[in-house]
Amino acid sequence: MQLWRDGRGGSEPAWLEKLQRTSMADLRVDGFPGVHDEDWKYTASVATRALDEHDWQPARMLAAGEAAGKAAAEAAADFAAGFARAAHERGADLAFFVDGRLSAELSSSSVGGGAGGGAQVIGLAAALADSPANGEHAALLERHLGGVADHQSAITQLNTGLFGDGALVLVPDGCACERAVELVFFSTGNEVVAHPRVLVVAGAGSSLDLTERYVGVEAESENGGRSRAVTNPVTELLLERDARMTHLRLQDESKEVVHLGRIEARVQQGAEYNSQVLVTGGRLVRIEIRVRLEGRGARTVLRGLSLVNGRRFADFHTLVDHVEPGGSSNQLYRSVLAGNGRSVFTGRVVVHEGASGSNAGQRNDALLLSDGAHASSRPQLEIYNDDVSCTHGATTGQLDERSLFYLRQRGLSVDEASSLLARAFATEALQGVLKGELLDELEKLVAGRLAAGSTGVNSYEVSS
Amino acid sequence: MSLLSVKDLHVSVAGNRILNGLELELEAGQVHALMGPNGSGKSTLALLLAGHPAYKVEKGSVSYQGRDLLDMAADERAREGVFLSFQYPVEIPGVSTGYFLKAAVNAGRRHRGEDELDAMDFLDIAREQLKLVGMDEAFLHRSLNEGFSGGEKKRCEIFQMAMLEPRLAILDETDSGLDVDALKAVGSGVNALRTPERGMLIITHYQRLLDYIVPDRTHVIMGGRIVRSGDAELAREVEQRGYGWLEEAAAASAA
């Protein structure tokens, strides 16, 4: 495979060059995982095929407008304007990226500026370029960028080796941030590969609402075929003592996008990390989530939902490490599958020696709306301590016949009843992390995608 | 023309014959009670009339408002005005009672060519009908039947019936598991819904619901067919004497 480094130009600190070079060397030595790798056997063939496409352009070579083409750039601008308006109304700081690159004009004016009492959001390329003059950021980036992530992950290796831009989010100690931070990654879908990198350092006792949205429009590529793209985002989150974070990652890119993403969180003593992932787009999506409860009493609630139709594929991969005593983790991941959709869930919980009094719950359910759909579930518990409470469960099933009959007896068509039940199933995997307007927005998005209509729930449309 | 006309109905489920030549005529405006011991085919008749796919008609016919009921899918029957109050209402987590019922009411209205109710209109009507069964508006926001007590489930069934305004209502053991208060609420709710256009078939094992809802006719079903019909007095007689004497009488008449 030919891989383009998404470079920033200009001089860069030596540690960064070394980090990126080492990461690419690791990836070359290890090779991108193949179908014989147990963790990748369902995902590998499509992922490597996508990465093997040699004629794809690296996003960083061209300005956003050029890379996207005129029509796509206009679509991006329209899209961004809508997001920016909404973010402004919500009182959020918005950083808008086009094909992985920060667009200053589409972002809030606060991005890149001072903290102003809340979280500080800085473009990563800018933070790195500035670093010789900005000792504070340089030291912080050197210490934490790549310091949270697990370098054994191929997704991380690829991103670390090739990232060009992204965001650095700094939350001051004790900051109860009223303004949410919204990062929007817009993919023009025009045969580009983007490797955005996000680092969030949440100071002691702070609280932050963070959203990452990966979105795009359906676009024709220049040779007239279906547009394609690869998005490979890695987000590193460091929650210092007693920090709280609510984090949404929404993947709603066009249905030709290959999305290989990873979230890494280190949760220190008394801190709480709550994550919601929603996958509604993409051709192949793999999202890896690793949470390390590395301080006493650290907590995490993890929720994930994927809606998978047509020939699409979605893979959730979670790893929760209970390292210190008294931690708790609670996972619920669900998928709704139609057509020939396919989903995979691999959930690993490791309770380390010494992590006494840990409480870990994990649940994974798949709802199959068609005969052609398929779901795989692989829960893995590794417990090296006696004094713990761990539960896990996995189900795969179809719509409940008794419920269907009950709803039909009240006059709902098969289509309407199926849609209602599928939405109820899906919506449960949106509870427990988000609330208020953001939760409403996701519930509406899911309801819209699973709505009964002329196409029927069994072939529900995924539009972008 | 009868609202419901069942002729020589033979029905099996999973290869077992449950109904054996059942005959029943129900006129609009009438309330009929159907009583019988366990396993006599009461619930089979209820579910069959509602269109449950597990039941197979071997022989006979069912006509509803002059149309072949057996030719209609379950949801079409419902939109045409057939309502079943379930013996065991299904708990459906994640679907709010209000949302579901508005969808159901509007499915019927669309079918009849009427305008759909918006949320405000729906709420106005729902508030009125909730009073009928002594339920609080908060029920509309709860997941359908989830965590409802036995009494709440049955009140909710009658509330749905009031909202859907069926032509034919079949109440399948609506009295089972109810305390006296719930029984009274259900009884008065049902009485309020007795209209000249509506026919009701009240299926019960015991007579106690019939203290509150006095039927125009009472039928006793045994072995999958009606063995005796009479007026409200028959229900009291069954309550006093049990079913044994009817079984003997049926056997004697068959011999």
Side-chain angles (χ1 to χ4, degrees):
Chain A
M1 83 184 115
Q2 182 178 359
L3 295 167
W4 299 80
R5 182 160 164 258
D6 197 1
R8 290 160 297 275
S11 65
E12 295 197 334
W15 65 265
L16 179 62
E17 279 193 44
K18 182 164 175 261
L19 177 70
Q20 296 207 284
R21 222 178 30 245
T22 310
S23 197
M24 280 321 288
D26 286 344
L27 187 60
R28 290 214 166 82
V29 172
D30 298 346
F32 202 79
V35 290
H36 301 298
D37 186 323
E38 187 63 21
D39 271 350
W40 278 82
K41 68 177 182 183
Y42 301 109
T43 328
S45 60
V46 188
T48 43
R49 209 162 49 237
L51 291 167
D52 273 339
E53 298 283 352
H54 57 81
D55 56 343
W56 292 12
Q57 299 178 45
R60 52 96 189 182
M61 297 297 229
L62 307 163
E66 291 172 81
K70 194 157 171 281
E74 282 170 6
D78 284 353
F79 205 87
F83 261 97
R85 253 196 323 274
H88 181 74
E89 281 166 16
R90 285 193 291 269
D93 290 318
L94 171 72
F96 198 96
F97 298 79
V98 178
D99 289 335
R101 240 176 138 72
L102 181 69
S103 163
E105 60 266 36
L106 296 176
S107 300
S108 304
S109 55
S110 59
V111 171
Q120 193 179 1
V121 185
I122 308 152
L124 191 60
L128 289 165
D130 283 345
S131 59
N134 189 336
E136 187 202 340
H137 291 166
L140 207 133
L141 283 164
E142 183 174 357
R143 193 156 90 236
H144 296 304
L145 193 70
V148 177
D150 171 11
H151 296 279
Q152 301 300 308
S153 153
I155 287 176
T156 303
Q157 288 172 350
L158 190 63
N159 178 284
T160 303
L162 300 171
F163 76 82
D165 205 350
L168 170 65
V169 180
L170 300 175
V171 189
D173 286 355
C175 172
C177 302
E178 276 178 31
R179 293 172 71 81
V181 170
E182 296 195 11
L183 310 176
V184 177
F185 297 89
F186 180 85
S187 169
T188 60
N190 207 352
E191 311 217 339
V192 291
V193 184
H195 307 278
R197 182 65 163 247
V198 174
L199 171 65
V200 182
V201 181
S206 67
S207 68
L208 175 72
D209 291 336
L210 172 71
T211 67
E212 285 180 83
R213 295 163 199 258
Y214 294 84
V215 292
V217 288
E218 216 67 58
E220 291 282 302
S221 70
E222 277 161 31
N223 57 22
R226 262 291 169 70
S227 63
R228 296 164 302 178
V230 176
T231 314
N232 167 227
V234 170
T235 295
E236 296 181 275
L237 308 164
L238 177 63
L239 281 75
E240 294 180 340
R241 197 174 167 146
D242 298 324
R244 286 175 61 101
M245 192 187 298
T246 296
H247 178 205
L248 164 66
R249 179 176 281 196
L250 169 64
Q251 192 285 336
D252 192 30
E253 290 159 303
S254 84
K255 56 177 172 274
E256 294 301 317
V257 167
V258 170
H259 181 108
L260 302 171
R262 192 162 168 101
I263 296 166
E264 298 254 6
R266 277 172 52 192
V267 188
Q268 298 185 344
Q269 183 174 334
E272 182 174 343
Y273 170 63
N274 297 324
S275 155
Q276 175 76 58
V277 179
L278 174 59
V279 173
T280 47
R283 167 163 57 109
L284 177 146
V285 180
R286 177 183 173 106
I287 296 182
E288 301 180 346
I289 297 144
R290 185 188 191 202
V291 180
R292 207 175 142 80
L293 301 175
E294 60 181 27
R296 188 176 278 270
R299 300 182 300 283
T300 187
V301 175
L302 306 174
R303 296 286 180 269
L305 172 66
S306 59
L307 309 182
V308 196
N309 66 343
R311 306 195 66 81
R312 297 171 51 235
F313 178 101
D315 182 355
F316 282 128
H317 209 97
T318 70
L319 168 59
V320 176
D321 280 298
H322 286 258
V323 180
E324 289 290 320
S328 82
S329 64
N330 178 312
Q331 301 184 56
L332 172 64
Y333 286 86
R334 283 191 167 174
S335 53
V336 179
L337 299 116
N340 292 303
R342 179 123 207 235
S343 74
V344 180
F345 173 77
T346 306
R348 203 167 143 219
V349 176
V350 183
V351 180
H352 294 254
E353 211 176 320
S356 57
S358 290
N359 194 317
Q362 182 196 77
R363 187 170 175 83
N364 168 236
D365 306 301
L367 175 62
L368 307 176
L369 296 175
S370 67
D371 293 338
H374 187 81
S376 312
S377 184
R378 300 193 310 149
Q380 300 164 351
L381 295 180
E382 293 174 37
I383 300 164
Y384 303 101
N385 194 304
D386 291 337
D387 172 29
V388 296
S389 159
C390 293
T391 59
H392 74 96
T395 63
T396 298
Q398 293 162 342
L399 291 172
D400 176 44
E401 290 294 337
R402 291 176 61 233
S403 302
L404 267 179
F405 179 64
Y406 187 89
L407 298 179
R408 291 183 67 196
Q409 208 301 305
R410 298 303 187 243
L412 302 188
S413 67
V414 175
D415 201 28
E416 289 171 310
S418 302
S419 167
L420 197 59
L421 293 174
R423 283 153 59 185
F425 172 87
T427 309
E428 278 192 63
L430 299 177
Q431 312 305 320
V433 173
L434 305 178
K435 48 184 189 291
E437 284 177 22
L438 197 52
L439 177 59
D440 289 347
E441 182 198 327
L442 292 201
E443 286 183 342
K444 281 202 185 94
L445 174 64
V446 168
R449 296 297 163 84
L450 294 176
S454 53
T455 54
V457 70
N458 290 328
S459 58
Y460 65 84
E461 275 298 338
V462 170
S463 54
S464 301
Chain B
M1 183 185 68
S2 293
L3 177 66
L4 179 73
S5 174
V6 180
K7 290 198 159 54
D8 194 28
L9 190 63
H10 296 253
V11 170
S12 64
V13 58
N16 297 319
R17 183 68 67 84
I18 309 289
L19 298 184
N20 294 293
L22 188 131
E23 305 266 343
L24 186 70
E25 298 288 326
L26 177 63
E27 308 290 330
Q30 297 243 305
V31 173
H32 288 199
L34 182 66
M35 301 182 74
N38 288 330
S40 57
K42 301 189 298 291
S43 286
T44 295
L45 179 65
L47 289 164
L48 175 97
L49 292 175
H52 195 288
Y55 297 90
K56 190 162 175 259
V57 175
E58 307 284 356
K59 193 179 164 196
S61 67
V62 180
S63 117
Y64 166 69
Q65 294 187 309
R67 286 184 61 191
D68 180 2
L69 185 73
L70 302 177
D71 199 34
M72 295 153 76
D75 46 303
E76 191 190 353
R77 295 181 198 194
R79 293 192 295 270
E80 283 287 334
V82 177
F83 178 91
L84 172 63
S85 170
F86 282 74
Q87 184 179 1
Y88 304 109
V90 185
E91 298 197 9
I92 306 185
V95 175
S96 85
T97 303
Y99 184 93
F100 147 73
L101 196 52
K102 180 165 164 279
V105 167
N106 281 332
R109 293 181 71 92
R110 273 199 307 278
H111 183 74
R112 295 189 295 271
E114 298 165 11
D115 287 341
E116 295 191 22
L117 293 181
D118 64 22
M120 295 303 291
D121 292 339
F122 172 80
L123 208 53
D124 285 345
I125 300 169
R127 282 196 186 110
E128 278 306 306
Q129 303 294 6
L130 279 164
K131 286 183 199 156
L132 190 69
V133 284
M135 284 168 77
D136 192 86
E137 192 182 323
F139 271 93
L140 296 175
H141 306 291
R142 286 175 63 181
S143 283
L144 185 56
N145 295 323
E146 191 189 25
F148 285 22
S149 70
E152 287 170 342
K153 281 180 182 162
K154 296 301 172 76
R155 287 178 202 227
C156 186
E157 294 289 290
I158 301 306
F159 164 58
Q160 291 178 46
M161 173 173 144
M163 292 299 294
L164 291 165
E165 303 181 295
R167 296 296 305 276
L168 170 63
I170 304 154
L171 279 63
D172 188 8
E173 305 218 9
T174 298
D175 51 344
S176 65
L178 294 192
D179 60 29
V180 175
D181 285 344
L183 200 63
K184 275 184 189 163
V186 164
S188 65
V190 169
N191 283 330
L193 296 171
R194 288 176 92 150
T195 68
E197 303 80 32
R198 184 170 292 145
M200 295 194 202
L201 184 62
I202 297 179
I203 294 173
T204 180
H205 189 84
Y206 303 105
Q207 188 258 341
R208 59 182 198 145
L209 181 63
L210 305 180
D211 287 341
Y212 301 95
I213 309 167
V214 179
D216 299 300
R217 296 281 292 163
T218 302
H219 310 279
V220 176
I221 180 174
M222 295 178 81
R225 54 196 193 87
I226 306 291
V227 296
R228 183 160 304 205
S229 296
D231 56 16
E233 193 52 43
L234 176 60
R236 277 187 275 276
E237 204 174 346
V238 167
E239 185 71 10
Q240 282 166 9
R241 300 178 63 185
Y243 289 105
W245 63 283
L246 284 164
E247 201 160 17
E248 286 154 23
S253 75

